[in-house]
Amino acid sequence: QVQLAESGGGLVQAGGSLRVSCAASGGSFSMLAMGWFRQAPGKEREFVATISRSGSNAAYADSVKGRFSISRDNAKNTVYLQMNSLKPEDTAVYYCAAAHVSMIATIVQRVYEYDYWGQGTQVTVSS
């Protein structure tokens, strides 16, 4: 069983930057594709970014492309989401997710394809 723990959320002004982290334990991190999702009040959980097992492939939602960057450190069992040029509409609870995949270059974008979820970390962007 894989456990995921997010950290690094907080309050930031519009235009600022923030990095959130997700530490995995209880499984083989290098066998997992990783993703970030977010959920704002009254809205459905939405895809933000995903990265393959090897880190060679990544994909982003159109709303964050060019501003957010996902990365991973397999030696530290950690995935990161660097968020730049933050906007008030980025305010949400950010969730880390992990999916067992067989191919090292596979990326996973759909909520239902993920096997494990973290508890989330709040990111608030003030205008």
Side-chain angles (χ1 to χ4, degrees), residues 5-8 19-23 34-38 45-51 59-61 68-71 78-83 93-98 108-109 114 117 120-121 123:
E6 301 96 337
S7 61
R19 188 178 80 160
V20 291
S21 304
C22 172
M34 301 298 296
W36 286 98
F37 290 75
R38 66 187 182 186
R45 191 168 298 190
E46 65 174 1
F47 167 74
V48 175
T50 180
I51 190 166
Y60 300 89
F68 290 12
S69 178
I70 189 172
S71 62
T78 302
V79 62
Y80 307 96
L81 184 68
Q82 176 68 44
M83 302 180 288
V93 176
Y94 282 71
Y95 295 93
C96 172
V108 182
Q109 300 188 49
Y114 281 88
W117 292 85
T121 185
V123 172

Side-chain angles (χ1 to χ4, degrees), residues 6-122:
E6 301 96 337
S7 61
L11 175 64
V12 63
Q13 287 189 334
S17 297
L18 202 61
R19 188 178 80 160
V20 291
S21 304
C22 172
S25 61
S28 181
F29 185 70
S30 63
M31 298 298 290
L32 301 168
M34 301 298 296
W36 286 98
F37 290 75
R38 66 187 182 186
Q39 188 166 16
K43 294 188 176 182
E44 292 188 353
R45 191 168 298 190
E46 65 174 1
F47 167 74
V48 175
T50 180
I51 190 166
S52 62
R53 285 170 47 191
S54 64
S56 60
N57 279 350
Y60 300 89
D62 288 344
S63 59
V64 306
K65 203 170 293 184
R67 300 188 298 121
F68 290 12
S69 178
I70 189 172
S71 62
R72 66 188 294 160
D73 186 337
N74 285 352
K76 295 183 177 179
N77 291 353
T78 302
V79 62
Y80 307 96
L81 184 68
Q82 176 68 44
M83 302 180 288
N84 300 326
S85 302
L86 282 161
K87 305 174 181 180
E89 51 263 44
D90 294 318
T91 295
V93 176
Y94 282 71
Y95 295 93
C96 172
H100 286 291
V101 295
S102 58
M103 305 297 287
I104 61 171
T106 299
I107 53 175
V108 182
Q109 300 188 49
R110 297 177 178 82
V111 170
Y112 62 83
E113 293 180 303
Y114 281 88
D115 302 301
Y116 307 101
W117 292 85
Q119 294 298 308
T121 185
Q122 177 70 46

